[in-house]
Amino acid sequence: MESNRQRKVAQIIQEDFAELFRKQASESKQSILVSVSDVKVTADLGIAKIYLSIFPQEFRSAVMKEIEENKPQYRNFIGQKMAKQVRIIPQLNFYLDTALDDVEKLERELRGEGDNPVL
């Protein structure tokens, strides 16, 4: 069960990264949408798991690779934002959120458009 403190820290991280990725997308020449779908923080506030949705799909691996390479800069960014609110800046782990893809695939299967035959 998540504590109030965990929820607050997760919300701060989610809002700050959403704003950062929005700014990066507006400055980029490519039209890539990176949204922060969820943030989970461990009980000791030492690790933040950040789930990202990236559209269009063909850019996912490149964007995730770039995010992984820039992890120290992102931790520095979040450290500056949260410096007065927490003692320890959490380690950042980024994950690709494929929940929407799974729902879309399931809906296609139910319509009979996938590998599942319509009876």
Short mmCIF file of all heavy atoms in Angstrom, two decimals, residues 3-62:
data_model
loop_
_atom_site.label_atom_id
_atom_site.label_comp_id
_atom_site.label_asym_id
_atom_site.label_seq_id
_atom_site.Cartn_x
_atom_site.Cartn_y
_atom_site.Cartn_z
N SER A 3 1.97 5.07 0.65
CA SER A 3 1.74 6.11 1.65
C SER A 3 1.41 7.43 0.95
O SER A 3 1.63 7.58 -0.26
CB SER A 3 2.98 6.27 2.53
OG SER A 3 4.03 6.84 1.78
N ASN A 4 0.93 8.38 1.73
CA ASN A 4 0.64 9.70 1.18
C ASN A 4 1.92 10.35 0.64
O ASN A 4 1.89 11.00 -0.40
CB ASN A 4 0.03 10.62 2.25
CG ASN A 4 -1.42 10.30 2.52
OD1 ASN A 4 -2.09 9.70 1.69
ND2 ASN A 4 -1.89 10.68 3.69
N ARG A 5 3.02 10.15 1.34
CA ARG A 5 4.29 10.72 0.92
C ARG A 5 4.72 10.16 -0.43
O ARG A 5 5.17 10.90 -1.31
CB ARG A 5 5.35 10.43 1.99
CG ARG A 5 6.68 11.05 1.70
CD ARG A 5 6.65 12.51 2.09
NE ARG A 5 8.00 13.05 1.95
CZ ARG A 5 8.24 14.24 1.47
NH1 ARG A 5 7.26 15.01 1.08
NH2 ARG A 5 9.47 14.68 1.37
N GLN A 6 4.58 8.85 -0.61
CA GLN A 6 4.92 8.22 -1.89
C GLN A 6 4.07 8.80 -3.01
O GLN A 6 4.57 9.08 -4.10
CB GLN A 6 4.72 6.71 -1.82
CG GLN A 6 5.79 5.97 -1.07
CD GLN A 6 5.43 4.52 -0.92
OE1 GLN A 6 4.63 4.15 -0.07
NE2 GLN A 6 6.01 3.69 -1.77
N ARG A 7 2.78 8.94 -2.76
CA ARG A 7 1.88 9.48 -3.78
C ARG A 7 2.24 10.92 -4.14
O ARG A 7 2.22 11.30 -5.31
CB ARG A 7 0.43 9.40 -3.32
CG ARG A 7 -0.18 8.02 -3.46
CD ARG A 7 -1.69 8.05 -3.28
NE ARG A 7 -2.08 8.37 -1.92
CZ ARG A 7 -2.19 7.47 -0.93
NH1 ARG A 7 -1.94 6.21 -1.16
NH2 ARG A 7 -2.58 7.83 0.27
N LYS A 8 2.58 11.72 -3.15
CA LYS A 8 2.95 13.12 -3.41
C LYS A 8 4.22 13.21 -4.24
O LYS A 8 4.29 13.98 -5.19
CB LYS A 8 3.13 13.88 -2.09
CG LYS A 8 1.84 14.21 -1.39
CD LYS A 8 2.10 14.95 -0.11
CE LYS A 8 0.82 15.20 0.65
NZ LYS A 8 1.05 15.90 1.93
N VAL A 9 5.23 12.43 -3.85
CA VAL A 9 6.49 12.44 -4.60
C VAL A 9 6.26 11.94 -6.02
O VAL A 9 6.77 12.53 -6.99
CB VAL A 9 7.57 11.61 -3.86
CG1 VAL A 9 8.79 11.42 -4.73
CG2 VAL A 9 7.95 12.28 -2.55
N ALA A 10 5.48 10.88 -6.17
CA ALA A 10 5.19 10.34 -7.51
C ALA A 10 4.46 11.38 -8.36
O ALA A 10 4.75 11.54 -9.55
CB ALA A 10 4.36 9.07 -7.39
N GLN A 11 3.52 12.10 -7.75
CA GLN A 11 2.77 13.11 -8.49
C GLN A 11 3.69 14.26 -8.94
O GLN A 11 3.59 14.73 -10.08
CB GLN A 11 1.64 13.67 -7.64
CG GLN A 11 0.78 14.67 -8.36
CD GLN A 11 -0.36 15.19 -7.50
OE1 GLN A 11 -0.45 14.88 -6.31
NE2 GLN A 11 -1.22 15.98 -8.10
N ILE A 12 4.59 14.67 -8.08
CA ILE A 12 5.53 15.74 -8.43
C ILE A 12 6.41 15.30 -9.60
O ILE A 12 6.60 16.03 -10.57
CB ILE A 12 6.40 16.13 -7.21
CG1 ILE A 12 5.55 16.83 -6.16
CG2 ILE A 12 7.57 17.01 -7.63
CD1 ILE A 12 6.24 17.00 -4.82
N ILE A 13 6.93 14.07 -9.51
CA ILE A 13 7.78 13.55 -10.58
C ILE A 13 7.00 13.46 -11.88
O ILE A 13 7.50 13.86 -12.94
CB ILE A 13 8.37 12.18 -10.18
CG1 ILE A 13 9.37 12.35 -9.04
CG2 ILE A 13 9.03 11.50 -11.38
CD1 ILE A 13 9.84 11.05 -8.43
N GLN A 14 5.78 12.96 -11.82
CA GLN A 14 4.96 12.81 -13.03
C GLN A 14 4.69 14.16 -13.68
O GLN A 14 4.85 14.32 -14.89
CB GLN A 14 3.65 12.10 -12.70
CG GLN A 14 2.81 11.81 -13.92
CD GLN A 14 1.63 10.91 -13.62
OE1 GLN A 14 1.35 10.59 -12.47
NE2 GLN A 14 0.93 10.51 -14.65
N GLU A 15 4.32 15.15 -12.90
CA GLU A 15 4.01 16.48 -13.45
C GLU A 15 5.26 17.13 -14.04
O GLU A 15 5.19 17.72 -15.13
CB GLU A 15 3.42 17.37 -12.36
CG GLU A 15 2.02 16.96 -11.95
CD GLU A 15 1.51 17.71 -10.72
OE1 GLU A 15 2.27 18.54 -10.16
OE2 GLU A 15 0.37 17.45 -10.32
N ASP A 16 6.38 17.02 -13.35
CA ASP A 16 7.61 17.66 -13.84
C ASP A 16 8.11 17.00 -15.12
O ASP A 16 8.52 17.69 -16.06
CB ASP A 16 8.70 17.62 -12.76
CG ASP A 16 8.42 18.57 -11.61
OD1 ASP A 16 7.60 19.49 -11.80
OD2 ASP A 16 9.02 18.40 -10.54
N PHE A 17 8.06 15.67 -15.18
CA PHE A 17 8.51 15.01 -16.40
C PHE A 17 7.53 15.21 -17.56
O PHE A 17 7.95 15.33 -18.71
CB PHE A 17 8.76 13.51 -16.17
CG PHE A 17 10.14 13.23 -15.68
CD1 PHE A 17 10.36 12.78 -14.39
CD2 PHE A 17 11.24 13.44 -16.49
CE1 PHE A 17 11.64 12.53 -13.93
CE2 PHE A 17 12.53 13.20 -16.04
CZ PHE A 17 12.72 12.74 -14.75
N ALA A 18 6.25 15.29 -17.26
CA ALA A 18 5.27 15.56 -18.32
C ALA A 18 5.56 16.93 -18.94
O ALA A 18 5.55 17.08 -20.17
CB ALA A 18 3.86 15.51 -17.75
N GLU A 19 5.84 17.91 -18.11
CA GLU A 19 6.16 19.24 -18.61
C GLU A 19 7.48 19.24 -19.39
O GLU A 19 7.58 19.85 -20.46
CB GLU A 19 6.25 20.23 -17.44
CG GLU A 19 6.57 21.65 -17.84
CD GLU A 19 5.46 22.30 -18.65
OE1 GLU A 19 4.31 21.83 -18.60
OE2 GLU A 19 5.77 23.27 -19.37
N LEU A 20 8.49 18.53 -18.89
CA LEU A 20 9.78 18.45 -19.57
C LEU A 20 9.63 17.80 -20.95
O LEU A 20 10.13 18.33 -21.95
CB LEU A 20 10.77 17.65 -18.73
CG LEU A 20 12.13 17.39 -19.39
CD1 LEU A 20 12.92 18.68 -19.51
CD2 LEU A 20 12.90 16.34 -18.61
N PHE A 21 8.93 16.67 -21.02
CA PHE A 21 8.77 15.98 -22.30
C PHE A 21 7.91 16.79 -23.27
O PHE A 21 8.11 16.75 -24.47
CB PHE A 21 8.20 14.58 -22.10
CG PHE A 21 9.16 13.63 -21.44
CD1 PHE A 21 8.74 12.77 -20.44
CD2 PHE A 21 10.50 13.58 -21.82
CE1 PHE A 21 9.62 11.89 -19.83
CE2 PHE A 21 11.39 12.71 -21.22
CZ PHE A 21 10.95 11.86 -20.22
N ARG A 22 6.94 17.54 -22.74
CA ARG A 22 6.12 18.40 -23.59
C ARG A 22 6.98 19.49 -24.22
O ARG A 22 6.90 19.76 -25.42
CB ARG A 22 4.98 19.03 -22.80
CG ARG A 22 3.99 19.81 -23.67
CD ARG A 22 3.06 20.66 -22.85
NE ARG A 22 3.74 21.67 -22.08
CZ ARG A 22 4.27 22.80 -22.58
NH1 ARG A 22 4.21 23.03 -23.86
NH2 ARG A 22 4.85 23.68 -21.80
N LYS A 23 7.86 20.09 -23.43
CA LYS A 23 8.76 21.13 -23.95
C LYS A 23 9.72 20.55 -24.98
O LYS A 23 9.96 21.16 -26.02
CB LYS A 23 9.56 21.76 -22.81
CG LYS A 23 8.79 22.76 -22.00
CD LYS A 23 9.68 23.37 -20.94
CE LYS A 23 8.89 24.33 -20.07
NZ LYS A 23 9.72 24.89 -18.99
N GLN A 24 10.27 19.37 -24.70
CA GLN A 24 11.19 18.74 -25.64
C GLN A 24 10.48 18.41 -26.95
O GLN A 24 11.06 18.55 -28.02
CB GLN A 24 11.79 17.47 -25.04
CG GLN A 24 12.83 17.74 -23.98
CD GLN A 24 13.41 16.47 -23.39
OE1 GLN A 24 12.86 15.39 -23.55
NE2 GLN A 24 14.52 16.61 -22.69
N ALA A 25 9.24 17.97 -26.88
CA ALA A 25 8.48 17.64 -28.09
C ALA A 25 8.20 18.89 -28.92
O ALA A 25 8.26 18.85 -30.15
CB ALA A 25 7.19 16.94 -27.73
N SER A 26 7.90 20.01 -28.26
CA SER A 26 7.61 21.23 -29.00
C SER A 26 8.87 21.80 -29.66
O SER A 26 8.79 22.43 -30.71
CB SER A 26 6.97 22.28 -28.09
OG SER A 26 7.89 22.72 -27.11
N GLU A 27 10.04 21.55 -29.06
CA GLU A 27 11.29 22.03 -29.63
C GLU A 27 11.84 21.11 -30.71
O GLU A 27 12.68 21.50 -31.51
CB GLU A 27 12.34 22.19 -28.52
CG GLU A 27 12.00 23.28 -27.53
CD GLU A 27 12.89 23.25 -26.30
OE1 GLU A 27 13.76 22.36 -26.21
OE2 GLU A 27 12.71 24.12 -25.43
N SER A 28 11.36 19.87 -30.73
CA SER A 28 11.86 18.87 -31.67
C SER A 28 11.26 19.09 -33.05
O SER A 28 10.14 19.57 -33.20
CB SER A 28 11.50 17.48 -31.16
OG SER A 28 11.84 16.51 -32.12
N LYS A 29 12.02 18.68 -34.07
CA LYS A 29 11.52 18.78 -35.44
C LYS A 29 10.56 17.65 -35.76
O LYS A 29 9.71 17.76 -36.62
CB LYS A 29 12.71 18.76 -36.41
CG LYS A 29 13.60 19.98 -36.29
CD LYS A 29 14.85 19.82 -37.11
CE LYS A 29 15.77 20.99 -36.98
NZ LYS A 29 16.40 21.11 -35.67
N GLN A 30 10.71 16.52 -35.07
CA GLN A 30 9.82 15.37 -35.30
C GLN A 30 8.60 15.50 -34.40
O GLN A 30 8.65 16.10 -33.34
CB GLN A 30 10.55 14.07 -34.96
CG GLN A 30 11.76 13.81 -35.83
CD GLN A 30 12.53 12.59 -35.36
OE1 GLN A 30 12.50 12.25 -34.20
NE2 GLN A 30 13.21 11.95 -36.29
N SER A 31 7.50 14.95 -34.85
CA SER A 31 6.29 14.99 -34.04
C SER A 31 6.18 13.69 -33.25
O SER A 31 5.60 12.70 -33.70
CB SER A 31 5.06 15.19 -34.92
OG SER A 31 4.97 14.15 -35.87
N ILE A 32 6.78 13.71 -32.06
CA ILE A 32 6.77 12.57 -31.16
C ILE A 32 6.08 12.98 -29.87
O ILE A 32 6.37 14.04 -29.31
CB ILE A 32 8.20 12.09 -30.85
CG1 ILE A 32 8.89 11.65 -32.14
CG2 ILE A 32 8.17 10.95 -29.85
CD1 ILE A 32 10.36 11.32 -31.95
N LEU A 33 5.17 12.14 -29.42
CA LEU A 33 4.46 12.41 -28.17
C LEU A 33 4.97 11.44 -27.12
O LEU A 33 4.89 10.23 -27.29
CB LEU A 33 2.95 12.22 -28.36
CG LEU A 33 2.11 12.30 -27.10
CD1 LEU A 33 2.17 13.71 -26.53
CD2 LEU A 33 0.68 11.90 -27.39
N VAL A 34 5.52 11.99 -26.04
CA VAL A 34 5.96 11.18 -24.90
C VAL A 34 5.11 11.62 -23.72
O VAL A 34 5.15 12.78 -23.30
CB VAL A 34 7.45 11.41 -24.59
CG1 VAL A 34 7.87 10.58 -23.38
CG2 VAL A 34 8.31 11.07 -25.79
N SER A 35 4.33 10.69 -23.19
CA SER A 35 3.50 11.01 -22.04
C SER A 35 3.88 10.11 -20.87
O SER A 35 4.25 8.96 -21.06
CB SER A 35 2.01 10.88 -22.37
OG SER A 35 1.70 9.55 -22.68
N VAL A 36 3.81 10.67 -19.69
CA VAL A 36 4.12 9.93 -18.47
C VAL A 36 2.81 9.33 -17.97
O VAL A 36 1.95 10.03 -17.45
CB VAL A 36 4.75 10.85 -17.40
CG1 VAL A 36 5.12 10.06 -16.16
CG2 VAL A 36 5.96 11.56 -17.97
N SER A 37 2.64 8.01 -18.17
CA SER A 37 1.38 7.39 -17.82
C SER A 37 1.27 7.05 -16.34
O SER A 37 0.18 7.05 -15.78
CB SER A 37 1.15 6.14 -18.66
OG SER A 37 2.21 5.24 -18.50
N ASP A 38 2.40 6.77 -15.68
CA ASP A 38 2.36 6.42 -14.26
C ASP A 38 3.74 6.56 -13.66
O ASP A 38 4.74 6.45 -14.35
CB ASP A 38 1.86 4.97 -14.10
CG ASP A 38 1.42 4.65 -12.68
OD1 ASP A 38 1.21 5.60 -11.90
OD2 ASP A 38 1.27 3.46 -12.36
N VAL A 39 3.77 6.81 -12.36
CA VAL A 39 5.03 6.84 -11.60
C VAL A 39 4.79 6.09 -10.30
O VAL A 39 3.81 6.34 -9.60
CB VAL A 39 5.48 8.29 -11.30
CG1 VAL A 39 6.72 8.29 -10.41
CG2 VAL A 39 5.74 9.06 -12.57
N LYS A 40 5.67 5.17 -10.00
CA LYS A 40 5.63 4.42 -8.74
C LYS A 40 6.93 4.71 -7.99
O LYS A 40 8.01 4.65 -8.58
CB LYS A 40 5.52 2.91 -8.98
CG LYS A 40 4.28 2.50 -9.72
CD LYS A 40 3.07 2.57 -8.84
CE LYS A 40 1.87 2.03 -9.59
NZ LYS A 40 0.63 2.39 -8.97
N VAL A 41 6.81 5.00 -6.71
CA VAL A 41 7.97 5.31 -5.89
C VAL A 41 8.05 4.28 -4.76
O VAL A 41 7.03 3.94 -4.16
CB VAL A 41 7.87 6.74 -5.30
CG1 VAL A 41 9.06 7.07 -4.44
CG2 VAL A 41 7.72 7.76 -6.41
N THR A 42 9.26 3.78 -4.49
CA THR A 42 9.43 2.80 -3.43
C THR A 42 9.18 3.45 -2.07
O THR A 42 9.18 4.68 -1.94
CB THR A 42 10.85 2.20 -3.45
OG1 THR A 42 11.80 3.25 -3.33
CG2 THR A 42 11.09 1.40 -4.72
N ALA A 43 8.98 2.63 -1.06
CA ALA A 43 8.64 3.12 0.28
C ALA A 43 9.73 4.03 0.87
O ALA A 43 9.42 4.99 1.58
CB ALA A 43 8.38 1.94 1.21
N ASP A 44 10.99 3.75 0.54
CA ASP A 44 12.08 4.59 1.06
C ASP A 44 12.35 5.81 0.17
O ASP A 44 13.28 6.57 0.44
CB ASP A 44 13.35 3.77 1.24
CG ASP A 44 13.92 3.25 -0.07
OD1 ASP A 44 13.26 3.40 -1.12
OD2 ASP A 44 15.04 2.69 -0.03
N LEU A 45 11.55 5.99 -0.86
CA LEU A 45 11.66 7.10 -1.82
C LEU A 45 13.00 7.09 -2.56
O LEU A 45 13.43 8.10 -3.09
CB LEU A 45 11.46 8.46 -1.14
CG LEU A 45 10.18 8.65 -0.34
CD1 LEU A 45 10.15 10.02 0.31
CD2 LEU A 45 8.95 8.43 -1.19
N GLY A 46 13.64 5.94 -2.62
CA GLY A 46 14.94 5.84 -3.25
C GLY A 46 14.90 5.53 -4.73
O GLY A 46 15.85 5.82 -5.45
N ILE A 47 13.81 4.94 -5.21
CA ILE A 47 13.70 4.56 -6.62
C ILE A 47 12.33 5.00 -7.14
O ILE A 47 11.31 4.77 -6.51
CB ILE A 47 13.85 3.04 -6.81
CG1 ILE A 47 15.23 2.57 -6.32
CG2 ILE A 47 13.64 2.65 -8.27
CD1 ILE A 47 15.40 1.07 -6.30
N ALA A 48 12.34 5.62 -8.30
CA ALA A 48 11.10 6.02 -8.98
C ALA A 48 11.02 5.26 -10.29
O ALA A 48 11.94 5.31 -11.11
CB ALA A 48 11.08 7.51 -9.22
N LYS A 49 9.93 4.52 -10.48
CA LYS A 49 9.69 3.81 -11.73
C LYS A 49 8.73 4.66 -12.55
O LYS A 49 7.60 4.91 -12.15
CB LYS A 49 9.07 2.44 -11.47
CG LYS A 49 9.97 1.52 -10.69
CD LYS A 49 9.28 0.19 -10.42
CE LYS A 49 10.20 -0.72 -9.63
NZ LYS A 49 9.54 -2.00 -9.33
N ILE A 50 9.22 5.10 -13.70
CA ILE A 50 8.46 6.03 -14.54
C ILE A 50 8.03 5.29 -15.80
O ILE A 50 8.87 4.80 -16.55
CB ILE A 50 9.31 7.26 -14.88
CG1 ILE A 50 9.77 7.93 -13.58
CG2 ILE A 50 8.53 8.24 -15.75
CD1 ILE A 50 10.87 8.92 -13.76
N TYR A 51 6.71 5.23 -16.02
CA TYR A 51 6.15 4.52 -17.17
C TYR A 51 5.78 5.54 -18.25
O TYR A 51 5.04 6.47 -17.99
CB TYR A 51 4.93 3.70 -16.74
CG TYR A 51 5.30 2.62 -15.75
CD1 TYR A 51 5.29 2.86 -14.39
CD2 TYR A 51 5.69 1.36 -16.21
CE1 TYR A 51 5.65 1.87 -13.49
CE2 TYR A 51 6.05 0.37 -15.31
CZ TYR A 51 6.03 0.63 -13.95
OH TYR A 51 6.41 -0.35 -13.07
N LEU A 52 6.32 5.32 -19.45
CA LEU A 52 6.15 6.26 -20.56
C LEU A 52 5.37 5.63 -21.70
O LEU A 52 5.59 4.46 -22.04
CB LEU A 52 7.51 6.70 -21.08
CG LEU A 52 8.48 7.33 -20.08
CD1 LEU A 52 9.82 7.58 -20.75
CD2 LEU A 52 7.91 8.60 -19.52
N SER A 53 4.48 6.41 -22.29
CA SER A 53 3.81 6.03 -23.54
C SER A 53 4.41 6.90 -24.63
O SER A 53 4.47 8.12 -24.48
CB SER A 53 2.31 6.27 -23.45
OG SER A 53 1.74 5.44 -22.48
N ILE A 54 4.84 6.26 -25.71
CA ILE A 54 5.51 6.99 -26.79
C ILE A 54 4.76 6.72 -28.09
O ILE A 54 4.55 5.56 -28.46
CB ILE A 54 6.98 6.56 -26.92
CG1 ILE A 54 7.72 6.81 -25.60
CG2 ILE A 54 7.66 7.30 -28.07
CD1 ILE A 54 9.09 6.20 -25.52
N PHE A 55 4.38 7.80 -28.77
CA PHE A 55 3.69 7.69 -30.05
C PHE A 55 4.36 8.60 -31.06
O PHE A 55 4.76 9.70 -30.71
CB PHE A 55 2.21 8.07 -29.91
CG PHE A 55 1.47 7.17 -28.98
CD1 PHE A 55 1.20 7.55 -27.68
CD2 PHE A 55 1.06 5.91 -29.39
CE1 PHE A 55 0.53 6.72 -26.81
CE2 PHE A 55 0.38 5.08 -28.53
CZ PHE A 55 0.11 5.49 -27.23
N PRO A 56 4.52 8.23 -32.28
CA PRO A 56 4.16 6.96 -32.92
C PRO A 56 5.10 5.83 -32.51
O PRO A 56 6.21 6.06 -32.01
CB PRO A 56 4.28 7.25 -34.42
CG PRO A 56 5.18 8.43 -34.52
CD PRO A 56 5.05 9.20 -33.23
N GLN A 57 4.64 4.61 -32.74
CA GLN A 57 5.33 3.43 -32.24
C GLN A 57 6.72 3.23 -32.83
O GLN A 57 7.60 2.70 -32.16
CB GLN A 57 4.50 2.18 -32.53
CG GLN A 57 3.21 2.13 -31.77
CD GLN A 57 2.42 0.88 -32.06
OE1 GLN A 57 2.85 0.03 -32.82
NE2 GLN A 57 1.25 0.78 -31.45
N GLU A 58 6.95 3.64 -34.06
CA GLU A 58 8.24 3.38 -34.70
C GLU A 58 9.40 4.13 -34.03
O GLU A 58 10.56 3.80 -34.25
CB GLU A 58 8.21 3.69 -36.20
CG GLU A 58 7.81 5.10 -36.55
CD GLU A 58 6.32 5.25 -36.84
OE1 GLU A 58 5.54 4.32 -36.53
OE2 GLU A 58 5.95 6.31 -37.36
N PHE A 59 9.11 5.15 -33.21
CA PHE A 59 10.16 5.91 -32.54
C PHE A 59 10.44 5.42 -31.13
O PHE A 59 11.31 5.97 -30.44
CB PHE A 59 9.80 7.40 -32.49
CG PHE A 59 9.74 8.05 -33.84
CD1 PHE A 59 8.53 8.54 -34.33
CD2 PHE A 59 10.87 8.17 -34.63
CE1 PHE A 59 8.47 9.14 -35.57
CE2 PHE A 59 10.81 8.77 -35.87
CZ PHE A 59 9.61 9.26 -36.35
N ARG A 60 9.72 4.42 -30.66
CA ARG A 60 9.84 3.99 -29.27
C ARG A 60 11.25 3.60 -28.86
O ARG A 60 11.75 4.06 -27.85
CB ARG A 60 8.88 2.83 -28.99
CG ARG A 60 7.47 3.29 -28.89
CD ARG A 60 6.57 2.16 -28.52
NE ARG A 60 5.22 2.69 -28.41
CZ ARG A 60 4.16 1.96 -28.30
NH1 ARG A 60 4.26 0.65 -28.30
NH2 ARG A 60 2.97 2.51 -28.20
N SER A 61 11.87 2.72 -29.63
CA SER A 61 13.20 2.24 -29.23
C SER A 61 14.22 3.38 -29.23
O SER A 61 15.05 3.48 -28.32
CB SER A 61 13.65 1.09 -30.12
OG SER A 61 13.72 1.50 -31.46
N ALA A 62 14.16 4.25 -30.22
CA ALA A 62 15.11 5.36 -30.30
C ALA A 62 14.90 6.34 -29.14
O ALA A 62 15.87 6.80 -28.53
CB ALA A 62 14.96 6.09 -31.63
#
